[in-house]
Amino acid sequence: MAYQNQTIRTGQPQQSATAVVFGWADTVLKLAQRQRTRRALKRLDGHILKDIGMSAAVAQTEGNKAFWQD
């Protein structure tokens, strides 16, 4: 019974397990989207890059970044 009455005094509200799982899932989905976007950026033609205002060098640099990098 003593365990049930204990509180964590961190000053931060506790998250439920569901919130933690959904937070991780959201992060994984964002990282996967970032990876797909970077792969696609590397495959764009020069005229399309020009349309979006990006040079081929910048597209390659961004496309070569790891998925976890901003």
Side-chain angles (χ1 to χ4, degrees), residues 48-55:
I48 295 173
L49 290 171
K50 185 178 177 182
D51 285 347
I52 63 172
M54 185 178 285
S55 70

Side-chain angles (χ1 to χ4, degrees), residues 32-43 59-70:
Q33 178 64 33
R34 186 181 292 168
Q35 184 178 26
R36 285 190 302 272
T37 302
R38 288 183 175 165
R39 278 192 210 143
L41 185 61
K42 288 172 54 172
R43 292 190 307 261
Q60 285 299 314
T61 301
E62 288 297 315
N64 288 331
K65 283 185 179 179
F67 66 90
W68 61 83
Q69 294 176 313
D70 276 335

Side-chain angles (χ1 to χ4, degrees), residues 2-17:
Y3 177 74
Q4 292 176 346
N5 293 329
Q6 290 178 345
T7 59
I8 298 174
R9 295 187 178 108
T10 62
Q12 299 291 327
Q14 293 185 34
Q15 289 185 328
S16 69

